[in-house]
Every structure is written in structure tokens, then in C-alpha cells.
Amino acid sequence: MLVIALSAMLAFFAIAQLRILVIHAYSQMKGVGGQAIELTRPTSCSWPTVVVQLPIYREHKVLYRLLTAVKNLDYMDGRLAVQVLDDSEGEEAALAKAVVDAHRGGSVPIEYVHRTSRDGYKSGALNHGTRMADCDLVAIFDADFTPDRDFLIKTVPLFEDARVAAVHTRWRHRNGLSSALTLFQAAVIDSLFCFSSGIRQARGESTIYLGTSGVWRKRTIEELGGWHEAPFTDDGIDLSFRAQLAGWSVVFVNEALASSDLPDTYLSYKNQQRRWARAAFRLFLDYGKKALSPPQGKRRRFLELSSLHLVLGTPVLVLTGVLTSAYVVLGLPRTPYWVITQVGLSAFLVLFPPLQECVLSQRILYDDWARRCLRLPLSLPLAIGVSVSILAGFRDTIKRDEPEFVRTPKEGSSGIIRKSEAKWVGTASRIAWFELGLGVVFLSAGLLSVVRGYAESCFLLWSLAGAFLVASARSGSEIRRAGHRPATPASAGTSD
């Protein structure tokens, strides 16, 4: 039974690897990449009214930079307004309002909207602001983003097509080269733009809005019932699916028209990935059947199915290591089929399809791709280590636990952990202990595989051991630097 399970996982990885070849061939054939996909923009535009919505929560330190960029957007006089949708409380709200007041008085009116509750979190804030807005279009930017001056000039004309519900763009990463961790995050996002949004756009299909750096038709939002405020839902992707099912089109502009910050601490990154895993699993449960049976045929279904490795790749790899450890500990027969399976799994670990997509995206997008790609393998242990947080996100969705929503901490691009506010550090400590436990298990199983003659399993087990020991050490170091001693598993908190 264990061998069958391992073989099924090997087949999953083989499909993921085949996806690399397919998207590479298609990107070469269609020219998807660094050059913007040619979109037919109208020669004249009615320039509809636009309200720029800025949903924030305890992010006043980056709000000044964002408002400065938004006020400088190039657009028609009298047809642009700004809403700052602030869900902060107490002093944080007062500080955010002070930043807004400092930017008032120009040609672009700025409205400060403060809710007395955080119902629906970001989705709730967007719905509240949309009901108040008197406009044709709403543009949305998270607090750690800044749009380029020509953002609206390059996106709004595409709404002359009455079928277009939304337009979103690629973005650049301000701190993408500051460490191996941020470089890996930047490369993952780049690969999504290149091989998900880019290829969909090249095929003339509706794309997926990733929650920021985009413009929506207000009428579409209203017709679809607004942003979904249910727990574990990714607001942008959810609305994109609903728009597509209703016959609307979401257009992708393959040009970097905004800049963003990435979490530059491992704890912040893991917290973000846990939230995203909850949302991804919820979306799969809600729309998976429809997404895997599109009218476009088998090629589209293959790409949709194979893209699951982006979320499931590392958790499945961990489960593979656990099953391999059990096989070795139980001393089950070392058959030729077992050896072939283990060699295949080790080959997957060397090739690692998510890393290949990242490398390919860097090759397409950047002139200094070689320097970037040489640094990417340094982040591989942290990329594998985050699988525990992803599994925790899946668990949250299955058990319908609703931990408090906590935005990824930001202070400029420093991604600090606030000692007084980071309630999720308790859970981070428990996850760090779990990572350490997995590292010890895989290390012990690797040693046992040598003693018992399962040499073909050593590479997989020791690689996983190294990854989880590194991840645990990094997590523990960041918790201590934040002024928190890692709690014991029994006393660790349960908040997110």
C-alpha cells in the first residue's frame, strides 16, 4: 500500500514536470514573457470616473508613500478620487487619518473611510467603500504597493470593451533582491504572471486577478453581489471566477505598472502562506469542479490540474518523506519497483518543478537572470519548510477554524514583527517545533536507511531533514530576535 501511495505521488510529480515542458514550449511559441502582450487599446477613450480604493489595517507607515504615488497618477482632471478604507483601531487609526489629512488639498479628493468593525476584513472594507463610491471604475492597491504614474492611462482604455470586468497588471518587487527568501517569493509571483496570467491572455482567455494592482468595473462588482466576505476566501480570485462564469472577461496587462514589498522575515512569509493556503483550498472546494471541466477542452484541463503542484508540491513531498520513513522503519521488502520509485522521487527533488518555473520566469523577464537563478537554490530549504504552514492552512479550512485575520506585518519593506500585536507568534513557535520534529525524524530515517540497506532513500530523506532543520532554525532565530522565547508545544498559543 505504501508503494502504491508513493507511486501515485511520483505520477503527480511527473505531471508537474510535464507542465514545465508544455508552458516552456507555449511561451516560446507565443512569445509570452518580458515584452508586454499586445492588447488592442482603443484610439479614443471616454475616460470614465475612477475611485482608487486603498484598504489598510495598521499600515500607516507605508500609507504616506502610497498616497503620494496615487495623487501623482496621470488621469483626467475631475475624474479621479481616492478612498482610504481603514479598519485600524485607536492610535493606529488616528495616525492613518493624520497621513490622509497631510495629503488633502490637491486636485484629487481623498476620503478617509473608517469602519467601527472589521466584518469581512478586506472584502468587507471594499464592499463598504464600493457602496459609497459614485464612479464607473474602482482601482485597488494594497498598502505595500505603489502604482506607476501611467497605471490608469494604460489600463482604463481597455474598458471600452463592454465585456471587460477587470484589468490587472504585473508588478515589480522593491526588495526582491534583498535576500534569498525575497528573491524566491519574487520569482514565484513572476512565474504566476508569466505562465498563468500570461499564457491565459495569449490564448484569449479570461485571467485571474490576484487581489491588488487592478481596476474593476463597479457595475460588475454590484451584479456579482460584491466581494465575498466568507472565511478563507481570496477576494480577488473568487471574484475573478464568478466574473468568468457570468460571461465577463478579466484582462491581464503583461507590463510591470506597480511596485510592491515582499515579506522579508520567514515568520511573516509563513503566516502569509498559511492564509493563502486556506484561501486556495476554499477556492478549490468552491470552483474546482467547474475549473477542471471548462469548454476549451483537454489542454486547458491539463494546465488547470497541473497548476495544483504550485500549492500541493511541497506538502506532497513532505508526505512522501513520511511514507518513505515508515517503509524503512518497518523494514518492508526492497523490491525493484520500490527502488525505481525512490530514484524517481529523488530526481523530482533535484528537478523540483516549482523551482524550474521560477528559473524560467527569471530567464524570460530579466537581463540579469543568471545572477538571480544562481541564488534561487539557496531558498530551497525555506521553500520546503513552509509546507507545514501550508498544511496548517488546509487544516483550518477543513475544520472551519477561523483564527483572527492578521495582515503580513510591514514597515516600509522591513516586514517587522510587532511584539505587542503579533498574536500569531505562539502558533509560529509550535510550527517551528513541528518542523524540528520532522527534521529529526527524516534524519533518523536516513541513518536507518543506510544501516538497513535502503541506499536509494538516503538522498530524499537527508534532503528533507536538512530543509526542515534549516527552516526550524530560521524560525526560532526570528522569534528570539522579536523578543519571544519559543513556547513549548503544550503552551504555545493558537492564534494565527
Side-chain angles (χ1 to χ4, degrees):
M1 195 66 183
L2 286 175
V3 174
I4 294 175
L6 288 169
S7 299
M9 293 179 186
L10 181 60
F12 170 81
F13 294 142
I15 291 173
Q17 191 62 44
L18 181 58
R19 168 186 163 87
I20 304 294
L21 300 177
V22 171
I23 62 176
H24 177 65
Y26 195 87
S27 63
Q28 292 291 317
M29 180 176 64
K30 293 291 185 180
V32 176
Q35 299 300 318
I37 294 175
E38 290 298 326
L39 297 170
T40 304
R41 289 185 173 89
T43 55
S44 62
C45 178
S46 59
W47 299 113
T49 53
V50 178
V51 167
V52 180
Q53 295 182 326
L54 311 177
I56 65 169
Y57 177 65
R58 296 178 178 175
E59 295 166 310
H60 70 276
K61 293 184 178 181
V62 292
L63 180 58
Y64 191 96
R65 179 184 66 190
L66 173 57
L67 278 175
T68 300
V70 170
K71 284 187 64 176
N72 288 328
L73 284 169
D74 187 11
Y75 203 63
M76 304 302 107
D77 290 342
R79 307 192 71 77
L80 178 65
V82 179
Q83 285 182 338
V84 177
L85 308 175
D86 185 18
D87 279 357
S88 307
E89 314 95 349
E91 182 184 2
E92 290 277 354
L95 291 169
K97 188 175 185 301
V99 174
V100 173
D101 291 340
H103 281 82
R104 284 188 169 129
S107 60
V108 178
I110 303 176
E111 182 180 12
Y112 177 76
V113 180
H114 182 257
R115 298 194 300 162
T116 56
S117 72
R118 295 187 66 206
D119 293 344
Y121 302 116
K122 178 183 174 182
S123 295
L126 291 174
N127 282 330
H128 183 67
T130 301
R131 287 191 293 268
M132 298 173 61
D134 181 15
C135 62
D136 301 306
L137 307 175
V138 290
I140 302 166
F141 299 98
D142 286 345
D144 52 333
F145 277 71
T146 52
D148 291 357
R149 181 176 174 80
D150 58 352
F151 183 93
L152 294 176
I153 297 297
K154 291 188 174 181
T155 55
V156 169
L158 295 169
F159 285 93
E160 292 295 300
D161 184 344
R163 298 169 300 172
V164 173
V167 178
H168 64 115
T169 77
R170 183 160 54 86
W171 60 75
R172 65 186 71 87
H173 319 281
R174 269 185 293 263
N175 60 337
L177 296 177
S178 65
S179 69
L181 176 62
T182 58
L183 176 61
F184 175 74
Q185 296 175 68
V188 169
I189 295 173
D190 288 339
S191 68
L192 287 174
F193 285 136
C194 280
F195 308 129
S196 179
S197 298
I199 287 180
R200 286 174 186 267
Q201 185 67 46
R203 287 172 55 89
E205 300 171 0
S206 184
T207 62
I208 302 298
Y209 167 66
L210 297 182
T212 186
S213 187
V215 186
W216 277 83
R217 195 185 297 272
K218 183 187 176 187
R219 179 167 65 88
T220 304
I221 298 174
E222 293 172 337
E223 288 183 1
L224 295 175
W227 303 91
H228 198 184
E229 298 182 21
F232 316 126
T233 299
D234 185 290
D235 47 274
I237 300 177
D238 175 86
L239 192 60
S240 297
F241 271 116
R242 286 190 282 139
Q244 182 179 344
L245 293 173
W248 292 92
S249 175
V250 178
V251 176
F252 172 62
V253 177
N254 195 11
E255 184 177 357
L257 296 178
S259 300
S260 73
D261 293 326
L262 296 163
D264 62 357
T265 69
Y266 194 42
L267 291 183
S268 299
Y269 175 58
K270 291 199 297 182
N271 178 64
Q272 179 194 70
Q273 293 302 301
R274 182 174 181 175
R275 285 194 288 109
W276 287 3
R278 290 199 296 261
F281 194 31
R282 181 72 263 162
L283 286 165
F284 178 75
L285 295 177
D286 290 342
Y287 303 107
K289 184 176 180 180
K290 294 178 181 178
L292 296 178
S293 56
Q296 285 83 356
K298 294 181 179 179
R299 288 183 298 177
R300 170 74 180 273
R301 287 198 294 272
F302 170 77
L303 286 174
E304 296 285 2
L305 182 62
S306 65
S307 65
L308 292 175
H309 86 276
L310 297 171
V311 177
L312 297 179
T314 50
V316 170
L317 184 60
V318 173
L319 185 56
T320 299
V322 171
L323 292 176
T324 299
S325 300
Y327 198 98
V328 171
V329 170
L330 294 173
L332 298 179
R334 185 173 174 267
T335 64
Y337 194 70
W338 159 263
V339 174
I340 293 173
T341 301
Q342 288 294 295
V343 172
L345 292 170
S346 297
F348 163 81
L349 190 59
V350 172
L351 297 173
F352 201 53
L355 184 62
Q356 286 195 59
E357 289 199 19
C358 290
V359 168
L360 186 54
S361 69
Q362 303 306 286
R363 174 66 181 87
I364 290 174
L365 293 176
Y366 303 107
D367 292 334
D368 62 340
W369 64 272
R371 178 169 65 93
R372 292 168 178 262
C373 293
L374 286 175
R375 294 180 62 193
L376 275 176
L378 298 176
S379 62
L380 195 55
L382 300 181
I384 294 174
V386 81
S387 57
V388 177
S389 297
I390 294 175
L391 290 170
F394 294 161
R395 169 197 168 277
D396 294 339
T397 305
I398 293 171
K399 297 190 68 175
R400 300 201 65 80
D401 287 348
E402 192 173 351
E404 179 187 2
F405 179 90
V406 181
R407 283 192 185 277
T408 305
K410 310 175 188 81
E411 182 179 20
S413 61
S414 63
I416 62 168
I417 302 169
R418 295 182 178 87
K419 297 180 184 179
S420 61
E421 303 295 340
K423 296 180 179 179
W424 45 272
V425 169
T427 297
S429 299
R430 185 170 61 181
I431 288 178
W433 279 111
F434 196 81
E435 292 164 352
L436 177 61
L438 281 176
V440 171
V441 167
F442 291 141
L443 180 63
S444 302
L447 293 172
L448 189 61
S449 68
V450 174
V451 173
R452 293 188 171 180
Y454 294 91
E456 62 281 352
S457 303
C458 293
F459 180 78
L460 174 66
L461 293 172
W462 283 345
S463 295
L464 291 175
F468 281 104
L469 291 175
V470 169
S472 174
R474 175 72 176 263
S475 298
S477 174
E478 290 185 3
I479 292 171
R480 288 191 294 272
R481 283 205 305 270
H484 298 269
R485 288 288 176 182
T488 62
S491 63
T494 58
S495 57
D496 205 15

